[in-house]
Amino acid sequence: MRRFRKILIANRGEIACRIIWTCKEMGISTVAVHSTADRDSLHVRFADEAVCIGGPTSSQSYLNIPSVIAAAEITNVDAIHPGYGFLAESSYFAEICEACNIKFIGPRPDVIRLMGDKVEARRAMKEAGVPILPGSPDPLKSEDEARALAREIGYPVIIKAAAGGGGRGMRIVRTEEEFGHAMQTAATEAAASFRSADLYVEKFVENPRHVEIQVLADEHGHCIHLGERDCSIQRRHQKIIEEAPSPALTPELRERMGATAVAACRRVGYSSAGTVEFLLDEDGQFYFMEMNTRIQVEHPVTEMITLADIVRNQILVAEGKPLWYKQEDVLFVGHSIECRINAEDPQTFAPSPGLITAYNAPGGPGVRLDTAAYPGYVVPPYYDSLIAKLVVHARTREVAIARMRRALEVMVVEGIKTTIPLHQGVMEDPYFRAGEYSTRFMEQFFERRKIQGGLAASGGA
Amino acid sequence: MRRFRKILIANRGEIACRIIWTCKEMGISTVAVHSTADRDSLHVRFADEAVCIGGPTSSQSYLNIPSVIAAAEITNVDAIHPGYGFLAESSYFAEICEACNIKFIGPRPDVIRLMGDKVEARRAMKEAGVPILPGSPDPLKSEDEARALAREIGYPVIIKAAAGGGGRGMRIVRTEEEFGHAMQTAATEAAASFRSADLYVEKFVENPRHVEIQVLADEHGHCIHLGERDCSIQRRHQKIIEEAPSPALTPELRERMGATAVAACRRVGYSSAGTVEFLLDEDGQFYFMEMNTRIQVEHPVTEMITLADIVRNQILVAEGKPLWYKQEDVLFVGHSIECRINAEDPQTFAPSPGLITAYNAPGGPGVRLDTAAYPGYVVPPYYDSLIAKLVVHARTREVAIARMRRALEVMVVEGIKTTIPLHQGVMEDPYFRAGEYSTRFMEQFFERRKIQGGLAASGGA
Amino acid sequence: MSANDQNQSQPHGGERGTGAAAAPQAEASGAGASERAPRHGRRRRGRTEQKPQQAPRRAESALNMDELRELTELFTAHGLTDFEFENADIRVRLSRNPAPAASGAQAVSAQALTPHDAVQSAASAAATSAGAEGAARAVGATTAAESTEEELHIITSPIVGTFYRSPAPTADAFVKVGSRVEHDTVVCIIEAMKLMNEVLAETTGTVAKVYVENGQPVEYGQPLFGVKK
Amino acid sequence: MSANDQNQSQPHGGERGTGAAAAPQAEASGAGASERAPRHGRRRRGRTEQKPQQAPRRAESALNMDELRELTELFTAHGLTDFEFENADIRVRLSRNPAPAASGAQAVSAQALTPHDAVQSAASAAATSAGAEGAARAVGATTAAESTEEELHIITSPIVGTFYRSPAPTADAFVKVGSRVEHDTVVCIIEAMKLMNEVLAETTGTVAKVYVENGQPVEYGQPLFGVKK
């Protein structure tokens, strides 16, 4: 067991700030690394030290492992927090940290590697007794094998890239006639995106919800869960609104899904914070999708309803400390919703980097804002478009929605386009308000909007 | 029972914004009133309508009853929320509202009048079985009577103005020799400050804590409490840091104080939100001080640990609705601290109005900011110096303190002096950190500081 | 609430809100009241209106680069040759050699940095170029109106309330455009809390403008009349 | 963690952090290294040091180099001839002779009142009057150095790491002030992840400045040498 004096944050933007806040609360010094494009970023300002590690593109800087490690060496840090994205799920990076005697704040490299391979992860989960969707246990060897399997599972099926994510290399196939073409396209996409054409096929669930369980595990075999997040509101497989608890879960189902996630983590020797993602069908059956071996963008909704600080727990268990609480000590209070404020066109989702000319952060009861934005900040075009996470908390879901509407109304971000008007539209949507939605929500939302005359009709930007 | 469509907020600054937030969440339109000095204030911007009601001084505007009522008439509102200060505890104003068929959001005028008169309030509380400090039940008629009473109570005693508040017209007397002079001074101050020289005398408690109970009552006789706030950290009898729960209360004592406050409210037919202030001595004995018949500055700490929206409850009960929850439905989770960020010198407390040249609002986990400030805002010299309330919430008091330190560190308010460095000093103070403090804390804090070489030594501005 | 009934009757004819409508409006102004779009004490604040004023401005710098940038751009856009600004905290001066002139709108004298005031200077521009009519139409604030309508003395509302031009719905207006006023001439009534408050001219001259319509709510400081000396 | 031991030895003599101290420092610069206040890759961010480079600028430094630069660009872009700005902390005046002379040093005189800015204005003053020498000494940012030291080509660090002037602690420095360099001349080593990365001059000329001390951590883009063509 060690005590970290100084941590390097190998990330940028809101999550780098988020991690700095907790380090400050724990009395740990922080080192920010940044590209030349991020000299004026808040994480650079609020960290105790800052090192420029390269040019503006991610590959020159935030993905540049030698630069990050060299920055860690010259600042003599004890540990690196990778945040999400960039190097967060690189088992190679985690190994290098280990080799350099710098603690990687996350699970062991072999666990990252295992969970990063969809086929291997599926196998491990099956062995742990976690329900998985009927489908191929191994990468498909031929189209014939795939067809036979699809027939066995029953249509519709989905073809996925083994190394995939974010919707690339995915194809839904509803009839056998479509199969050949879909499989070829998926293989091409997979090869282009992930340098591996390996595919597998599984049952396609029609109106599923994306429900994920937040887990916390230490290096001594203790593991608990902090309940679920419902992340079904997605566009192009990117989450944009998340909430906790899920409107679809009963306490009994929550307990079952939580116990399943914990069992999965125990099985693979997981430590640190992690997320087990499930597909939940309309009958309350849930199936393992994947495990994210890092802090997630949407972790604040869980923090709001549990009062836990997930980053603090990551750091404590990385120091080798046992989890300080047991499953029965976990609180669940109220309801929380997060809206991702992206610098993009709310209708076309085209990125909208540039100068923030006017800015007002909402405050008051039950509002949390995680951001690195400020008036005068220039959103660079090189990185993802997330500029702020607006999170609300209230005793009930109804008040949480009202609060989010209010917070969106008084949040001012000018000079660039943002997703604020889109979120305002969703908060007014009767299906969202009723909690009746699946991962197809955004698609259906835009269809309804089109019928009603477009987003502009309800006050879009 | 009615439903408010539109509410006028007869206040300014952070509390006006705070009330607007809740109105927006409830779908109620808002009217801001403002002085000529407050044209650029956020409450003017975020309200649906705004009316300039007079010149910069409070008496020309926010205390100008005909102007406020006329503004309510021309905007055709259903109700007026008075906030705190200004007209919030004017029974006369409440009566005029009633006469104009505008609902005053607060208790009935007669209850305001009763609780506004210290002697009458004391009598009513005594009748309700609320413990009060030994002392004169009526205004003192002569110095001789007062002396006799003081002898009966036993020194030290305190002489207070019947209509007083905020420390004016108060004198502590430790020996009989000091009595005559102290009484004359108190009478002079009372006459000057409150246009009434009426005084009373009571037992003086040596190292008391200021612990107050938040109550909620509807117009149908239901009354609950939301626990206590510890407001002992005061300078010159002005609260500057508040927390909930109090480090000094046991669950048993909390229950007794809460039940006492509820009994007191029931006795006087109280409705709306209110606060019963108690003096708590070192032996756990508590004594009624006064009741505040309005929303209080420090209400957010209670909102944080209960997830209640006190302003929402005020509005609902003013509409005639019954309280939606019972005492057993009240949640208590975690620990909350509020620091009042005032535009004043952190050492001398001299007001420091002026232009805010740079500003950064802290965010992230467990941080709430109630403010009307923004970069470029000019803090006018006409009103009180409170510019922001920084509130944190965490599972434990220890983490709450760490969080407050972090939030104070990343909060930037430049161009004017603020109390931020003072709060940073208190957060480092071993007595505060141990929860061992009384209303004499600030006095002792500055003494310790002086010994250590002044505030500057610990990073004061 | 028991007071509900006793307050429903309005001295100025009918119930609150309808009394105004009942009052004669034909003579509400001598020069086209409807064009004036007078500013309401009750104003619905659209986004566009609110933004320029508040827009919590750039946090980090006293120099406020954004404002300077905007200022410089405005300066160029309007073809200015000289600009000075000063208040308790700040002093700014810009100038340009007038050599490559040709721009028409050089007369604007922007007097403030905030976008809010930019609205006002737009109004001043109108006032300067197009002459009298424009300014008060766009501008609500007393000060701007006073400074831009060179010749007119502005009578502003001393209180919040409802503006009436005549002592009774069927009576003649106290004053019209062209009326001569003395210091003690009653120019209108502002009703507040059921009280009829007479407003005196407190100047001498001839009424040149009526900014507010009969029965309209007015706020403190709102321009009511323009008087030519 | 099992890797703890194997990484303790540093190729450049001893353990991390001490190797630097062991390396020869006497020849760190030909012209008084201590005066150059070279910028550290690992910088403990004192208020004064971090301001000029980092964004959300504290108002204490009401004006920094970036803003001055932007201001000057605005000034030129808009063809201004005069600019003044003043507040409680700072006063800035820019002016240009309207005669379109193509002079390079058109009298930027910034008079900053805060101690921090005093450094910068001292630098600008030096740059304007005395010319070359002064500026880059005080200013760490690459761009500033490039623009003010007219004649020098700046070799910057291509990676993050630790700067070594010689191949071994006891060896001679690769280059000193006065050394002639060609494109393929090795000027220093940057150690990162136990690897010694040779940095080539990639220009020709004579070394005029050494901005970094031996054994000092450097960040990406940090100026290492100034080369006179």
Side-chain angles (χ1 to χ4, degrees), chain B residues 2 6 29 34 36 39-42 44-56 60 65-77 96 98-103 219 354-355 357-360 373-378 412 414, chain C residues 1-8 10 16 39-47 50-62 64 67 89-90 114 116-117 140-142 158-162 191-194 216-222:
Chain B
R2 53 213 282 193
K6 200 197 276 189
S29 295
H34 63 92
T36 51
R39 285 193 187 284
D40 290 342
S41 290
L42 280 192
V44 175
R45 164 165 188 179
F46 285 116
D48 296 301
E49 301 174 51
V51 181
C52 179
I53 53 166
Q60 291 174 295
I65 293 178
S67 277
V68 172
I69 296 287
E73 285 180 341
I74 65 172
T75 53
N76 203 20
V77 301
I96 298 209
E98 205 171 79
C100 294
N101 193 28
I102 298 163
K103 179 71 181 180
E219 295 175 352
L355 175 71
T357 54
Y359 180 81
N360 185 58
Y374 57 87
Y377 177 62
V378 177
V412 178
E414 281 164 16
Chain C
M1 281 147 294
S2 57
N4 197 333
D5 298 335
Q6 77 202 51
N7 282 290
Q8 282 302 344
Q10 299 281 90
R16 200 155 88 195
R39 182 197 194 198
H40 287 245
R42 177 204 310 206
R43 52 206 144 106
R44 182 104 218 158
R45 330 198 111 240
R47 280 260 162 194
Q50 63 189 219
K51 242 160 298 148
Q53 299 177 29
Q54 310 306 344
R57 286 174 287 260
R58 179 161 186 177
E60 63 279 11
S61 150
N64 207 329
E67 288 178 346
D89 303 298
I90 214 170
T114 66
H116 166 59
D117 297 302
T142 331
I159 55 169
V160 182
T162 305
E191 183 205 332
M193 294 182 73
K194 322 301 164 212
Q216 183 188 313
V218 292
E219 64 182 348
Y220 173 84
Q222 186 166 347

Side-chain angles (χ1 to χ4, degrees), chain B residues 89 118 132 154 174 279 312 321 375 419:
Chain B
E89 287 176 296
K118 298 240 183 310
I132 53 173
R174 295 184 186 277
L279 217 55
R312 173 185 279 261
K321 297 200 175 66
T419 44

Side-chain angles (χ1 to χ4, degrees), chain A residues 355-360 374-376 409 411-412 414, chain C residues 47 50-52 54-60 66 69:
Chain A
L355 176 71
I356 296 178
T357 54
Y359 179 80
N360 185 58
Y374 57 86
E409 184 184 343
M411 180 164 189
V412 178
E414 280 163 18
Chain C
R47 280 260 162 194
Q50 63 189 219
K51 242 160 298 148
Q54 310 306 344
R57 286 174 287 260
R58 179 161 186 177
E60 63 279 11
D66 283 344
R69 193 179 306 116

Side-chain angles (χ1 to χ4, degrees), chain D residues 87-137:
Chain D
N87 69 10
D89 303 302
I90 211 169
R91 197 174 84 79
V92 181
R93 195 171 83 81
L94 281 84
S95 67
R96 188 201 323 271
N97 194 310
S103 172
Q106 275 163 345
V108 176
S109 81
Q111 285 177 305
L113 302 182
T114 66
H116 164 64
D117 295 301
V119 174
Q120 294 192 342
S121 37
S124 350
T128 316
S129 56
E133 202 65 28
R137 206 184 290 159

Side-chain angles (χ1 to χ4, degrees), chain B residues 199-254:
Chain B
L199 298 174
Y200 63 108
V201 65
E202 63 186 22
K203 178 85 190 147
F204 177 69
V205 178
E206 279 293 353
N207 283 304
R209 299 180 85 110
H210 173 123
V211 176
E212 58 188 32
I213 302 288
Q214 174 72 54
V215 294
L216 284 179
D218 65 22
E219 295 175 352
H220 310 283
H222 305 124
C223 183
I224 61 170
H225 72 86
L226 301 181
E228 83 283 5
R229 294 183 286 260
D230 197 317
C231 310
S232 305
I233 311 288
Q234 309 180 350
R235 48 97 185 155
R236 297 175 192 169
H237 299 275
Q238 300 288 336
K239 300 164 187 168
I240 55 167
I241 297 175
E242 302 93 355
E243 63 180 310
S246 167
L249 258 58
T250 60
E252 183 273 333
L253 184 52
R254 175 169 304 118

Side-chain angles (χ1 to χ4, degrees), chain A residues 30-354:
Chain A
T30 50
V31 176
V33 293
H34 62 93
S35 71
T36 50
D38 274 343
R39 284 193 188 286
D40 290 344
S41 291
L42 280 192
H43 76 288
V44 174
R45 165 164 187 179
F46 285 115
D48 296 302
E49 301 173 52
V51 180
C52 179
I53 53 166
T57 65
S58 299
S59 58
Q60 291 175 296
S61 49
Y62 301 105
L63 287 172
N64 184 337
I65 293 178
S67 277
V68 172
I69 296 290
E73 284 179 341
I74 65 172
T75 54
N76 203 18
V77 300
D78 301 308
I80 294 182
H81 196 303
Y84 53 70
F86 297 130
L87 302 170
E89 288 174 295
S90 163
S91 54
Y92 175 65
F93 179 64
E95 271 165 3
I96 298 211
C97 287
E98 206 171 79
C100 293
N101 194 28
I102 297 163
K103 179 70 180 179
F104 174 84
I105 299 177
R108 294 193 318 271
D110 60 304
V111 176
I112 299 175
R113 182 170 298 112
L114 171 69
M115 302 317 284
D117 182 312
K118 298 239 184 308
V119 174
E120 287 300 318
R122 235 173 104 90
R123 201 195 324 268
M125 289 302 104
K126 201 168 187 178
E127 287 169 16
V130 176
I132 53 173
L133 278 174
S136 56
D138 296 294
L140 298 164
K141 288 185 189 65
S142 69
E143 196 182 311
D144 283 346
E145 182 199 339
R147 272 181 198 276
L149 188 62
R151 225 173 284 131
E152 188 190 313
I153 296 167
Y155 286 92
V157 297
I158 186 164
I159 300 171
K160 286 184 176 176
R168 285 171 300 177
M170 277 189 184
R171 281 292 177 286
I172 297 158
V173 190
R174 294 184 188 278
T175 64
E176 187 157 358
E177 289 70 53
E178 300 166 27
F179 198 88
H181 179 68
M183 191 165 165
Q184 281 156 28
T185 319
T188 310
E189 276 186 28
S193 300
F194 314 111
R195 294 194 201 94
S196 155
D198 282 355
L199 298 175
Y200 63 105
V201 64
E202 63 185 20
K203 177 86 190 147
F204 177 68
V205 177
E206 278 293 353
N207 284 303
R209 298 182 85 112
H210 175 124
V211 175
E212 58 189 32
I213 301 289
Q214 174 73 54
V215 295
L216 283 180
D218 64 23
E219 295 175 352
H220 310 282
H222 307 122
C223 182
I224 61 169
H225 72 87
L226 301 180
E228 84 284 4
R229 295 184 285 260
D230 196 319
C231 310
S232 305
I233 313 287
Q234 308 180 350
R235 49 96 185 155
R236 298 176 190 168
H237 299 274
Q238 299 289 336
K239 300 166 186 167
I240 56 168
I241 297 175
E242 302 93 355
E243 63 180 310
S246 166
L249 258 60
T250 60
E252 182 272 334
L253 183 51
R254 175 170 304 117
E255 204 173 306
R256 269 204 296 137
M257 290 178 78
T260 303
V262 167
C265 290
R266 287 228 173 84
R267 173 76 189 196
V268 298
Y270 198 84
S271 59
S272 192
T275 303
V276 183
E277 296 187 335
F278 293 106
L279 217 55
L280 178 67
D281 76 13
E282 292 165 298
D283 305 321
Q285 294 299 311
F286 58 92
Y287 305 98
F288 173 79
M289 277 195 294
E290 62 175 12
M291 176 156 191
N292 293 314
T293 57
R294 51 163 162 85
I295 188 86
Q296 280 191 284
V297 176
E298 62 271 24
H299 76 278
V301 294
T302 299
E303 293 187 329
M304 295 301 259
I305 65 163
T306 61
L307 267 75
D309 180 336
I310 295 173
V311 173
R312 173 184 280 260
N313 280 286
Q314 282 188 303
I315 293 170
L316 289 173
V317 302
E319 284 177 333
K321 297 201 176 67
L323 280 179
W324 77 267
Y325 49 3
K326 298 195 172 55
Q327 189 63 50
E328 56 267 31
D329 300 321
V330 177
L331 289 174
F332 292 106
V333 286
H335 197 95
S336 180
I337 304 174
E338 170 180 288
C339 286
R340 299 192 188 188
I341 314 296
N342 295 337
E344 51 189 38
D345 186 295
Q347 284 182 275
T348 65
F349 301 119
S352 177

Side-chain angles (χ1 to χ4, degrees), chain C residues 58-65 68-69 72-73 75-77 89-97, chain D residues 55-59 62-63 67 70-71 74 78-88 91 98:
Chain C
R58 179 161 186 177
E60 63 279 11
S61 150
L63 174 61
N64 207 329
M65 218 40 229
L68 274 179
R69 193 179 306 116
T72 314
E73 280 159 15
F75 184 86
T76 301
D89 303 298
I90 214 170
R91 198 175 81 79
V92 181
R93 194 170 83 81
L94 282 83
S95 69
R96 189 204 323 274
N97 194 307
Chain D
R57 286 170 279 257
R58 286 259 171 185
L63 182 63
E67 288 179 341
E70 192 184 351
L71 196 57
L74 273 174
H78 289 83
L80 304 192
T81 55
D82 249 298
F83 171 85
E84 285 189 52
F85 173 86
E86 182 168 11
N87 69 10
R91 197 174 84 79

